[in-house]
């Protein structure tokens, strides 16, 4: 079985190990997304920059040692101070440079879901990753055009993923619940679940309104139609995995019989690396991997973080 540039059969204890091993390039030039909304790609997850009346809100801060580079990009569009850092979840490529901003100004607020806060003694617990504000299901920060809303709909990529909405911009940051417009990587060690992700994304698609732009955790800016298509994809993965369990199929057989034959899933069967892809394989590889992960979950078999499904028996 041939897969282009896939991290085959790699199972690691934590996502940070895999990320550091990639030697990712630094941030790219800041990109305007809306009237007061920008995105900085590269060096880890996307960093979203929201300009408010009194300062700047950052959503995610990439890998460690990227803070100065992020700030340099922000300074291309504003001289306002950094007031708040929001983290979509607690992986090192999304909160790695938090401490750069909290060290520079201890009044900077750090906001994330209660289940995302790193526990004391874990590798990425530091003064910058200790939230000054957490929430359970939804929280609104600011008013009018400065408002930011954080929503939690359940486990997905991790157990504490936030959807960050900017109502005035009609935009949402999805974090790694949706990245590269292809299947997710699931981190069970942080509470993630492929089966639950399908439910969570559907709840988000039904519970949010007024969103037109979707800033993914990595990669480009999608639209609401793309997010709805992704919700269908996530449900399809679980549906195919359930058929595999019922019929005694392995993940490759289930993919060939029930996934690849569905025309609606064509965007998730490509075998070419996407332009600028930092890590994680092709759309097809991700789909195969997620069927494999979902089969294990449905069977009650523990799955560590799996970045490339192992070859089926006999291959």
């Amino acid at each position: 079985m041939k897969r282009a540039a896939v991290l085959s059969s790699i199972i690691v204890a934590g996502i940070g190990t895999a990320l550091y091993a990639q030697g990712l390039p630094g941030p790219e030039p800041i990109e305007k997304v809306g009237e007061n909304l920008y995105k900085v790609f590269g060096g880890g997850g996307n960093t979203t920059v929201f300009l408010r009346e009194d300062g700047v809100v950052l959503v995610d801060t990439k890998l460690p040692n990227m803070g100065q580079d992020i700030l340099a990009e922000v300074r291309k569009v504003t001289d306002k101070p950094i007031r708040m850092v929001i983290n979509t979840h607690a992986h090192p490529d999304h909160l790695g440079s938090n401490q750069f901003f909290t060290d520079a100004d201890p009044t900077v607020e750090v906001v994330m879901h209660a289940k995302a806060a790193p526990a004391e003694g874990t590798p990425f617990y530091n003064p910058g990753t200790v939230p000054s504000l957490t929430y359970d299901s939804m929280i609104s920060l600011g008013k009018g055009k400065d408002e930011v809303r954080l929503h939690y709909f359940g486990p997905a990529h991790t157990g504490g993923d936030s959807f960050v909405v900017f109502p005035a911009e009609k935009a949402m940051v999805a974090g790694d619940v949706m990245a590269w417009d292809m299947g997710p990587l699931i981190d069970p060690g942080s509470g993630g679940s492929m089966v639950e992700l399908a439910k969570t994304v559907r709840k988000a698609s039904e519970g949010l309104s007024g969103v037109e732009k979707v800033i993914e955790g990595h990669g480009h800016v999608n639209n609401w139609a793309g997010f709805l298509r992704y919700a269908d994809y996530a449900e399809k993965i679980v549906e195919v995995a359930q058929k595999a369990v019922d019929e005694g199929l392995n993940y490759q057989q289930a993919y060939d019989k029930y996934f690849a034959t569905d025309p609606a899933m064509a965007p998730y069967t490509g075998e070419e690396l996407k332009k600028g892809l930092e890590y994680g394989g092709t759309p097809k590889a991700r789909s195969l991997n997620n069927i494999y992960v979902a089969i294990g979950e449905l069977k009650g078999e523990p799955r560590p973080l799996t970045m490339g499904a192992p070859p089926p028996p006999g291959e």
Side-chain angles (χ1 to χ4, degrees), residues 55 148 258:
V148 184
Y258 292 116

Side-chain angles (χ1 to χ4, degrees), residues 7-24:
L7 300 175
S8 296
S9 304
I10 295 180
I11 300 176
V12 295
I15 200 165
T17 305
L19 299 179
Y20 283 125
Q22 301 305 307
L24 302 182

